[in-house]
Structures are given as structure tokens and as C-alpha cells.
Amino acid sequence: MTEAVTAPRSVLITGGNRGIGLAIAKAFLANGDKVAVTYRSESELPEGILGVKADVTDEASVDAAFKEVEAAHGPVEVLVANAGITKDTLLLRMSETDFTSVIDTNLTGAFRVIKRASKGMIRLRKGRVVLISSVSGLYGAPGQINYSASKAGLVGIARSLTRELGSRGITANVVAPGFINTDMTAELPEATQKDYLASIPAGRFADADEVANVVRWISSDEASYISGAVIPVDGGLGMGH
Ligand code: NDP
């Protein structure tokens, strides 16, 4: 039997100053880990969480943030690529910039942080990478061609990473939330929220904690033989995808 909890590890969550990222940071903190989050806008963080400024669209900024985390907590052993944006609009109205900017943050941004983290993980011969995707990635959603493409791409990253680095004690998994109560979903029109609610078997939206607990578990020793998986946290919305 392995221990259920291996703390304290150096954990980094991108976009961890609010929403799902902050809930994930709090879950790791409660686990006894050394937790750092990236932020862009100044924000109050709970005591015990290290905030480092970073924009995931900028490689130099990512590198500087990792250096700060490594100096304070040691090499990153658990990386949660959570930072993400939406720029929803229907295909015919979607500009190329609407498309590429979402890809640059959600997909290339994940690539930048994973590449930077992998160096330390390879040296440690262990690591956990968790990519926060979305039900939209595999199920699709009108008005989200850019977002869905970026979130589906994360599955390709996790699976190729698993094949490249799986023998080094590193796992890479995707967590795909459905409709979670955060700033991102608060922006959706009320009618869209009602439509979603009608199609969710659980009959409700979720709290960010319900995603955070799954991320913490998939990063634990209990999940040591799971890699390349897509774990839905969507109340059944995307079943079968
Ligand atoms: P929020 O909009 O509440 O938070 C997004 C976070 O990402 C913020 O911390 C934001 O930083 C950060 N971020 C955005 N762009 C960048 C960037 N270029 N560089 C660094 N950080 C950046 O979103 P949620 O908490 O709702 O979502 C978190 C993740 O979960 C996202 O990847 C999202 O796609 C995914 N998700 C969310 C769902 C939901 O229902 N809420 C459903 C499915 C997936 P800042 O505060 O500086 O803007």
C-alpha cells in the first residue's frame, strides 16, 4: 500500500488567484503542500499561498515565475495548467485574433508552463501534470470554436506527454469541468445558463471545490497509475465523450 498523501510537495497552479485555480490552491494547501499560484492582476491571496506574477502568453514571464517558485519551494513537482480565457462568438463573427488569442493562452500557454516544469520533474524522476480542460473540448459548444479547440488540444498534450515522460514517474491527466460557478460563467447570458442547466443530469452547477478535490486526488500517490486520462467533473453533461 502506498501512502494516500505525499506532502509537502512544491505545487504550482497557473491562474490561481481566483475561481477554480484558487480553489485548487486551497485544496493543496489543506493537504500540507507548498503552494504557489500565478496571477496577472493584483489580488489578495490566503495566507500560506505564494503569489508569483506571470502571463502564460510570455515565455520569459513564465520562466521568471518558475525561478521564484523554485527558490522558495524547490522544483515544481505538481503543475496545474489552469489559466484560461474565453472569447465566445459564432463562427462567422469570430475574428482570427479571437481564435489565436484563446489558443495562445489556453493551449500554447499550457505548453509553455509544462515545458518549463518538465525539466525539474525529469531531474526529480517524478511529477504530476494536470491540465484543466472543459466539457466543451470534447462535447463541443456553439460559439466556442476557439475555446473548444484549445481545450481539446490539451488532451493531445496530456497523452503525448504521457508517452514521452511516463517512464520517468511523471503522469499527465486532463480534468474537464462542466459548468462551475465562477466569474467566467457569471459572464454568460441568463438564457445560456438556463439551457445548460436543463441539459445537466445532476440538475445543478458545481462549486469550484468539486473540481479542486479531483485535481488534488489525481495528483496524489493514490492515482500513481493513471495517466493520459480525461476525468469529467460535469454532473454527467458530457457523458460518453
Ligand atoms: P476565471 O476567469 O475565474 O479565472 C481565470 C484565471 O486564469 C485567472 O486567474 C486569470 O488571471 C488567469 N489567466 C487568464 N489569462 C491568463 C494569462 N494570459 N496568463 C496568466 N493567467 C491568466 O476562470 P475559471 O476559474 O472559471 O476557470 C479556470 C479554468 O477552468 C480555465 O482554464 C477555464 O477554461 C476552465 N473551465 C472553467 C469552467 C467554468 O465553468 N468556470 C468550466 C470548464 C473549464 P487574472 O485574474 O489575472 O485575469
Side-chain angles (χ1 to χ4, degrees):
M1 276 281 275
T2 48
E3 290 285 311
V5 175
T6 324
R9 300 162 301 175
S10 173
V11 178
L12 176 62
I13 300 122
T14 63
N17 53 312
R18 59 192 171 99
I20 294 174
L22 181 57
I24 295 170
K26 287 180 180 165
F28 280 109
L29 192 67
N31 197 47
D33 289 303
K34 295 176 284 185
V35 182
V37 299
T38 72
Y39 65 90
R40 283 183 314 174
S41 36
E42 283 304 329
S43 38
E44 289 258 320
L45 289 171
E47 209 183 316
I49 296 178
L50 172 69
V52 291
K53 198 163 184 153
D55 185 330
V56 297
T57 64
D58 175 356
E59 192 183 8
S61 154
V62 166
D63 185 53
F66 267 83
K67 284 190 173 126
E68 243 184 277
V69 174
E70 286 162 351
H73 293 165
V76 172
E77 196 181 323
V78 180
L79 173 72
V80 184
N82 166 77
I85 57 167
T86 49
K87 279 197 184 161
D88 295 356
T89 190
L90 294 172
L91 174 63
L92 290 180
R93 289 196 204 125
M94 190 176 286
S95 69
E96 190 168 324
T97 310
D98 290 336
F99 187 84
T100 54
S101 61
V102 170
I103 298 287
D104 194 26
T105 301
N106 299 5
L107 183 62
T108 320
F111 159 76
R112 290 185 189 97
V113 292
I114 290 167
K115 184 178 174 189
R116 181 59 179 76
S118 68
K119 293 176 192 167
M121 290 180 183
I122 290 168
R123 245 178 263 126
L124 286 172
R125 297 198 65 81
K126 58 182 172 179
R128 293 278 190 271
V129 176
V130 184
L131 300 99
I132 307 300
S133 176
S134 164
V135 65
S136 304
L138 297 179
Y139 193 64
Q144 291 202 317
I145 282 189
N146 47 4
Y147 183 75
S148 304
S150 72
K151 294 300 188 181
L154 296 177
V155 178
I157 291 186
R159 292 187 168 162
S160 293
L161 193 65
T162 292
R163 293 195 192 279
E164 266 192 50
L165 298 181
S167 63
R168 317 279 186 108
I170 297 167
T171 68
N173 290 291
V174 171
V175 169
F179 198 111
I180 316 298
N181 288 314
T182 66
D183 295 346
M184 186 179 272
T185 46
E187 278 173 18
L188 291 172
E190 213 169 293
T192 311
Q193 296 199 23
K194 265 198 183 150
D195 285 351
Y196 271 118
L197 192 55
S199 56
I200 299 169
R204 64 175 180 87
F205 303 146
D207 287 331
D209 287 349
E210 296 179 273
V211 178
N213 291 335
V214 175
V215 174
R216 181 180 53 184
W217 178 76
I218 197 69
S219 307
S220 75
D221 278 355
E222 286 187 337
S224 53
Y225 205 54
I226 301 178
S227 198
V230 180
I231 303 169
V233 186
D234 62 5
L237 174 61
M239 270 191 300
H241 293 272

